[in-house]
Amino acid sequence: MNRATYISVPGLVRIKPGALARLGVYLRRGGYVRVAVLASTGLPQPVVEAVRGGFAQEGVEAASWAEVADNTFEEVVHDFAALPAKVGAIVGLGGGKALDMAKYMAFLAGVPYFAAPTSLSNDGFCSPQASLTLNGRRRSLAARLPQGVVIDVDVCLSAPRILWLSGVGDLASKLSAVVDWKLAFHNTGEPVNDLAALLSDATVRQFMAAPAFDAQGMSLLGTALMLNGIAMEICASSRPASGSEHLVSHALDATASRPRLHGLQVGVATYLMRRLQRQETATIDRLFTKTGFWDAIRADPFSKAEWLEAVRVAPSVKDDFFTVLSLRDCLPEVRAMLDDDPVLAGSFV
């Protein structure tokens, strides 16, 4: 039987226009006046100036400000060893690599982590894991949820639209992930945390009500992705957010000649996995059509051969992780989908 769970969740959540300029205000209010910042390389200068200006105005000192180009375990350990003394919190600013590095460094240092993503391409900014490269291989390492989430809606809207579409794809993947979780329960007895599953599903449905590339749509997407991170924390598992569609994406990362954005891969894989799960796919098709997700995929189609290889490899990507791909040999069904499904026309070559 599932027991009651006690977790730490973000106490500060600001998802609104102009939020980054007020990051200094939020830190000072919490008593964090000496912080370390890990920022993505190449951030737009106005973004950097807004954060630095807000710090100066509020008397918040950036004891260190490091630019992150890659998220390797070796680099984060090196940066942790060089962390200035008396740093009260670590801020991740920018994209996924910088946020994962900041999240893991805060975990090592035992100090709070504040997430300030400048785009919403996936749910990693508020997940209890850090995705790092160790000895050339991507690993998901234990970390903690951020104490604060600061999402500047205007900044995210100014990021390339393909990043928003990636976030849409990553959010949609929760639908197939939860079905896989329930399949695991019925076939192996793996427990399902009902609250985590319900929360994950509800976040997708809420966004689907207004999936527009505007301030409201960006706010809804940021909220939904954040709540998915909390769903993972509730059950101490990636199950509410990651299933067979993520296995396919991980296989593509390892075998494809040109892996694409995570959310684009898992989004397309979600459609395929939902069909394998014998679930309706019209909801996902409508979402992807309305947002322009399918148009973006058709503009740069995937390799059919690489996807078939990824589906073949996917069941072996993660040990003891039961999904629809564990039920049967799904490769012939996927091949038929790629060849004949009119929804996928133009998405594969």
Side-chain angles (χ1 to χ4, degrees):
M1 177 180 291
N2 288 319
R3 296 173 180 265
T5 303
Y6 298 90
I7 61 172
S8 296
V9 297
L12 167 75
V13 178
R14 294 291 187 274
I15 305 177
K16 64 179 185 179
L20 275 182
R22 293 181 57 78
L23 181 55
V25 174
Y26 308 142
L27 290 169
R28 179 186 54 75
R29 285 176 180 170
Y32 304 107
V33 294
R34 180 175 164 85
V35 301
V37 178
L38 274 70
S40 295
T41 299
L43 284 177
Q45 196 58 32
V47 170
V48 175
E49 291 175 355
V51 173
R52 287 190 179 275
F55 280 12
Q57 188 172 350
E58 297 298 324
V60 175
E61 176 191 1
S64 65
W65 184 296
E67 292 195 350
V68 174
D70 203 3
N71 55 333
T72 67
F73 177 81
E74 295 81 5
E75 184 66 23
V76 76
V77 170
H78 174 271
D79 290 349
F80 166 67
L83 190 66
K86 298 182 180 179
V87 164
I90 294 177
V91 176
L93 173 66
K97 292 181 178 179
L99 299 181
D100 277 319
M101 293 280 278
K103 184 192 308 182
Y104 197 66
M105 185 184 294
F107 177 70
L108 293 177
V111 299
Y113 156 60
F114 286 79
T118 54
S119 64
L120 296 175
S121 60
N122 58 62
D123 60 14
F125 67 88
C126 192
S127 77
Q129 297 176 327
S131 178
L132 301 175
T133 301
L134 177 59
N135 294 326
R137 295 186 61 186
R138 194 176 70 83
R139 297 283 301 276
S140 293
L141 304 178
R144 293 193 184 95
L145 291 183
Q147 181 160 316
V149 174
V150 178
I151 299 175
D152 193 315
V153 169
D154 287 340
V155 169
C156 290
L157 282 170
S158 69
R161 184 166 181 150
I162 195 70
L163 297 176
W164 180 76
L165 292 173
S166 177
V168 171
D170 193 39
L171 182 63
S173 73
K174 315 317 174 190
L175 296 178
S176 52
V178 170
V179 173
D180 276 331
W181 197 6
K182 293 177 180 179
L183 284 174
F185 168 73
H186 289 296
N187 286 272
T188 71
E190 179 180 340
V192 172
N193 183 297
D194 293 331
L195 177 60
L198 285 169
L199 180 59
S200 182
D201 187 74
T203 61
V204 187
R205 306 295 177 181
Q206 181 185 38
F207 175 74
M208 284 179 169
F213 186 69
D214 57 18
Q216 181 187 13
M218 191 65 73
S219 179
L220 285 173
L221 181 61
T223 301
L225 292 172
M226 180 189 69
L227 291 174
N228 258 281
I230 293 173
M232 287 187 270
E233 179 74 1
I234 287 171
C235 62
S237 166
S238 64
R239 274 295 194 177
S242 173
S244 51
E245 73 296 320
H246 274 63
L247 297 182
V248 173
S249 181
H250 294 330
L252 285 168
D253 290 340
T255 63
S257 60
R258 181 169 64 93
R260 313 293 174 80
L261 286 168
H262 170 80
L264 301 184
Q265 293 181 168
V266 298
V268 174
T270 295
Y271 178 84
L272 295 172
M273 298 303 108
R274 290 279 291 182
R275 283 201 56 187
L276 293 177
Q277 294 165 341
R278 310 293 191 251
Q279 301 292 310
E280 64 87 17
T281 55
T283 300
I284 290 175
D285 182 30
R286 284 195 299 270
L287 173 66
F288 287 176
T289 298
K290 187 171 184 178
T291 57
F293 182 94
W294 285 134
D295 291 336
I297 299 299
R298 295 181 187 115
D300 186 16
F302 289 107
S303 163
K304 185 182 298 185
E306 289 182 348
W307 271 69
L308 290 173
E309 174 62 11
V311 171
R312 186 189 69 80
V313 170
S316 64
V317 166
K318 194 172 181 180
D319 294 335
D320 300 321
F321 192 74
F322 193 96
T323 72
V324 67
L325 297 174
S326 309
L327 285 174
R328 60 187 184 275
D329 178 9
C330 296
L331 196 57
E333 295 170 73
V334 174
R335 182 180 288 109
M337 287 183 229
L338 300 190
D339 287 340
D340 302 326
D341 190 330
V343 172
L344 298 173
S347 297
F348 292 89
V349 293

